[in-house]
Amino acid sequence: MSFRYPNGKLYTAAKHAPSPRPTNRGNRGMRLEDDINDSISYYRNRKTAVIHKKPTPVQIVNVDYPARSRAKITEAYFRQASTTDYNGIYRGYHLDFEAKETRQKQSFPFKNFHDHQLNHLAAISDQGGCAFLILQFVESEEIFVIKADVFLQLKEESTRKSLQKSVIAAHSVSIKRTYTPPIDFLPAVDQLFF
Amino acid sequence: MSFRYPNGKLYTAAKHAPSPRPTNRGNRGMRLEDDINDSISYYRNRKTAVIHKKPTPVQIVNVDYPARSRAKITEAYFRQASTTDYNGIYRGYHLDFEAKETRQKQSFPFKNFHDHQLNHLAAISDQGGCAFLILQFVESEEIFVIKADVFLQLKEESTRKSLQKSVIAAHSVSIKRTYTPPIDFLPAVDQLFF
């Protein structure tokens, strides 16, 4: 089965399939999210950090209670989220971030970011939290971790519809994909915030 | 419309009705949650703290896309949450809490707390976060804010199936219902953690 989340992201049952992961382009889109989910689970198990992905917000309209089986939601709608997808605690600090990817090769389109996500990250930053973005260029497999306030400043100053990769690279920490965890972003957080 | 969440909590459309709120006992059960939601919204607007309630986790199985209308989820199931309902940032610190109420008059039953909630609060506490519980005795309208590690210690030491109100009162900060916000719990957090 497959369906699209309101953000246009494709959900496919395949993404929950065991390794080896499908490597065709259609599924590559979900790999960043999967790998981050695996990474935060690894961090939780090691007690390095407690970070969770927020559930997709859904407005429930009708629920059936079939005899001898669990409650079944038969009518519900996607709601607009008001925060980012990820938050938690690390070294006593509040972390909050969003992970995004693009198939563009040289720049990251601003349209990939929703206002509610950027406003939320700005609010977290203002409160003294560690707010950041994990940005992946799918084609080159490059991953950057950038502070939310730096990104917002660059977006503010930009006259384009996207942020050039060279600019991102100059203002962020680049990370490599590994195995345990797949995306080891906490050392980048150390470097950016501590 | 109304239905029950997996925790047995009754959802009624009435809880979203404008004031004056229904005051019959059946609806009183949702008042704590509503009032906390109003309070965190007040804190966000004032930029005192950024706290959000997490969406109810739902496993989506099927989605319809009726022509010219928004996506409709036609089959989904409640999933077990792995965290508490509320978290956020205040004075640069990570906050994480759960709100519970009981109709018992003299003690708070331990069965009101799920293992995943208590384990999560313990993990947050271990990471140096401010983990706590907001406990309401519905009949007397008394509300207490207690640190999660203190509560867990008292639970550990208890030979009963519930924690006596007098014990809770001796180890927590009592708060009064007000209007703006309805449950002003941050001063209690100041007192307990700072």
Side-chain angles (χ1 to χ4, degrees), chain A residues 23-70:
Chain A
T23 52
N24 61 319
R25 284 201 185 181
N27 283 299
R28 222 196 261 175
M30 293 306 285
R31 207 178 139 200
L32 178 65
E33 192 178 308
D34 283 347
D35 285 348
I36 288 176
N37 293 344
D38 289 349
S39 303
I40 60 177
S41 164
Y42 172 91
Y43 291 145
R44 281 201 307 271
N45 292 339
R46 295 254 172 155
K47 300 188 193 302
T48 317
V50 180
I51 301 165
H52 285 272
K53 182 175 193 293
K54 290 199 180 180
T56 303
V58 156
Q59 187 196 350
I60 298 162
V61 175
N62 200 45
V63 182
D64 274 3
Y65 299 91
R68 275 185 296 275
S69 67
R70 62 185 173 149

Side-chain angles (χ1 to χ4, degrees), chain B:
Chain B
M1 61 135 318
S2 75
F3 61 83
R4 281 192 186 280
Y5 284 108
N7 60 7
K9 211 179 264 178
L10 187 68
Y11 171 97
T12 48
K15 81 166 185 160
H16 297 296
S19 310
R21 286 212 176 83
T23 51
N24 60 319
R25 283 201 187 181
N27 284 300
R28 224 195 258 177
M30 294 306 287
R31 208 179 138 198
L32 179 64
E33 193 178 307
D34 283 346
D35 285 349
I36 287 176
N37 293 343
D38 289 350
S39 303
I40 60 178
S41 163
Y42 173 90
Y43 290 143
R44 281 200 308 271
N45 294 338
R46 295 255 170 155
K47 300 186 193 302
T48 317
V50 179
I51 301 165
H52 285 272
K53 183 174 192 295
K54 291 198 179 180
T56 303
V58 156
Q59 186 196 350
I60 299 162
V61 174
N62 200 46
V63 182
D64 275 1
Y65 300 90
R68 275 185 293 275
S69 67
R70 63 184 172 150
K72 178 181 173 182
I73 299 163
T74 56
E75 186 180 357
Y77 299 92
F78 293 106
R79 277 192 295 127
Q80 174 73 56
S82 48
T83 65
T84 51
D85 276 354
Y86 298 94
N87 83 357
I89 184 168
Y90 169 57
R91 295 176 62 173
Y93 292 91
H94 183 85
L95 292 195
D96 198 299
F97 64 98
E98 189 67 41
K100 297 283 183 187
E101 56 198 340
T102 184
R103 295 225 160 76
Q104 302 255 343
K105 289 181 184 171
Q106 292 306 327
S107 69
F108 214 104
F110 290 127
K111 69 172 167 52
N112 288 23
F113 305 91
H114 298 284
D115 283 346
H116 73 265
Q117 294 165 340
L118 298 180
N119 293 340
H120 177 71
L121 287 168
I124 295 297
S125 235
D126 287 348
Q127 289 281 336
C130 304
F132 58 94
L133 292 160
I134 300 178
L135 305 178
Q136 176 174 240
F137 287 88
V138 176
E139 297 296 333
S140 60
E141 296 236 326
E142 287 168 289
I143 302 170
F144 300 98
V145 183
I146 186 166
K147 288 174 79 164
D149 53 3
V150 171
F151 177 85
L152 289 166
Q153 182 71 31
L154 293 169
K155 181 172 182 290
E156 184 73 27
E157 290 165 0
S158 172
T159 53
R160 295 158 178 259
K161 289 183 173 176
S162 63
L163 196 58
Q164 282 174 284
K165 187 160 81 179
S166 57
V167 176
I168 294 172
H171 291 86
S172 64
V173 173
S174 163
I175 54 176
K176 299 266 172 246
R177 227 173 253 281
T178 52
Y179 289 93
T180 48
I183 297 181
D184 193 15
F185 60 90
L186 289 181
V189 169
D190 289 337
Q191 212 176 316
L192 290 169
F193 292 95
F194 304 126

